[in-house]
Amino acid sequence: MKFYILTLFPEMVEDGLNTSIIGRAVENGLIEIEAINIRDYTIDKHKKVDDYPYGGGAGMVMQAQPVYDTYMSIVERVGHKIPCVYLTPQGKTFNQKMAKEYSELDEVVLLCGHYEGIDERVLEEIVTDYVSIGDYVLTGGELPAMIMVDAISRLVPGVLHNDDSTSQESFSNNLLEYPQYTRPEEWNGKKVPEILLSGNHAKVDEWRHEQSVLRTKANRPDLLN
Ligand code: 6GU
């Protein structure tokens, strides 16, 4: 799967995604991440990419031309249009189901806005999906784009060594995950729950499911119908 990230801060995205599991997935060729600087496509002689909002108001708005030309440079290079996600607090809230759906695409463009947003006319031309990562406001779409890349990439086959580890995890069955323990058996006066040492897999599964339900009731009752 290939991610094209359109941003004014490509190094932020590159630096944030070159580590750990995602960095290894890139090295192994399972995913590809190309951060493209929108400023490289402005035709303004001072490399300007934003201007004052028509109608007045605070802040600056990113202009249509550089954003459009950045997206079209990809379309021309690959020879076809690619789904384009605009990261915005006004979008649909990102969740595990959406991550799974995006992980089945071959290519996606993630468009990161900054300042007070992007000229609506170019959004109408190129954007296919509007996505938010939650009900709070960030200074730009870069962190949300990185979050999407992480959540999507780990569902691409081969990225996690244990392909089964995503089917049991939080949200995939509308339950939060059960607690985990590792050695030592006793730490700080606290013992690992006895059942986990029993070797009885049916009992362990039953206990874990109970714990998942208890956690979900306590922390995320909205997930239980
Ligand atoms: Cl996608 N962008 C910005 N700027 N703020 C956000 C967001 C996105 N999602 C939640 N807050």
Side-chain angles (χ1 to χ4, degrees):
M1 172 160 196
K2 174 143 188 183
F3 299 92
Y4 296 91
I5 304 179
L6 278 45
T7 169
L8 291 173
F9 304 96
E11 63 293 339
M12 175 178 179
V13 172
E14 284 159 358
D15 293 351
L17 293 171
N18 65 5
T19 313
S20 186
I21 294 171
I22 303 304
R24 194 185 62 211
V26 172
E27 278 174 27
N28 293 344
L30 293 164
I31 58 168
E32 210 178 325
I33 301 167
E34 184 178 341
I36 305 178
N37 194 338
I38 294 168
R39 197 178 298 279
D40 290 345
Y41 288 84
T42 180
I43 57 172
D44 181 81
K45 59 180 180 293
H46 304 294
K47 294 254 162 202
K48 193 167 67 78
V49 291
D50 61 351
D51 211 326
Y52 297 99
Y54 279 118
M60 303 291 269
V61 176
M62 284 170 67
Q63 292 170 292
Q65 177 273 319
V67 172
Y68 186 71
D69 288 359
T70 309
Y71 176 75
M72 289 310 292
S73 76
I74 302 166
V75 172
E76 277 156 29
R77 176 146 53 104
V78 303
H80 55 85
K81 290 194 173 182
I82 300 175
C84 179
V85 176
Y86 177 43
L87 286 310
T88 167
Q90 296 155 64
K92 179 175 170 191
T93 308
F94 190 56
N95 61 27
Q96 192 65 21
K97 180 163 170 276
M98 289 158 74
K100 180 74 189 154
E101 287 164 4
Y102 284 117
S103 75
E104 283 154 17
L105 298 178
D106 292 328
E107 302 166 303
V108 68
V109 172
L110 303 177
L111 171 59
C112 305
H114 241 269
Y115 317 118
E116 293 305 307
I118 301 180
D119 191 305
E120 189 69 20
R121 293 168 295 182
V122 68
L123 301 178
E124 289 170 7
E125 286 299 315
I126 69 172
V127 172
T128 55
D129 309 307
Y130 293 79
V131 174
S132 164
I133 60 159
D135 291 342
Y136 41 82
V137 180
L138 302 168
T139 55
E142 285 76 14
L143 287 167
M146 290 159 73
I147 283 169
M148 284 189 70
V149 170
D150 189 290
I152 294 165
S153 296
R154 62 188 291 291
L155 300 175
V156 170
V159 170
L160 297 186
H161 282 314
N162 178 5
D163 273 348
D164 191 45
S165 64
T166 61
S167 62
Q168 285 295 309
E169 70 192 358
S170 296
F171 303 113
S172 59
N173 52 5
N174 265 1
L175 289 176
L176 301 182
E177 226 173 323
Y178 47 78
Q180 298 275 23
Y181 301 86
T182 189
R183 291 201 285 182
E185 251 181 69
E186 186 177 329
W187 175 81
N188 214 20
K190 297 175 143 190
K191 290 208 165 79
V192 171
E194 201 63 41
I195 188 86
L196 299 178
L197 311 175
S198 70
N200 183 334
H201 294 302
K203 286 277 181 208
V204 168
D205 287 350
E206 191 185 325
W207 181 84
R208 285 178 165 169
H209 184 258
E210 279 165 22
Q211 292 295 313
S212 283
V213 173
L214 285 173
R215 268 194 179 188
T216 311
K217 273 186 183 147
N219 298 343
R220 291 296 306 277
D222 58 295
L223 293 177
L224 302 165
N225 340 311

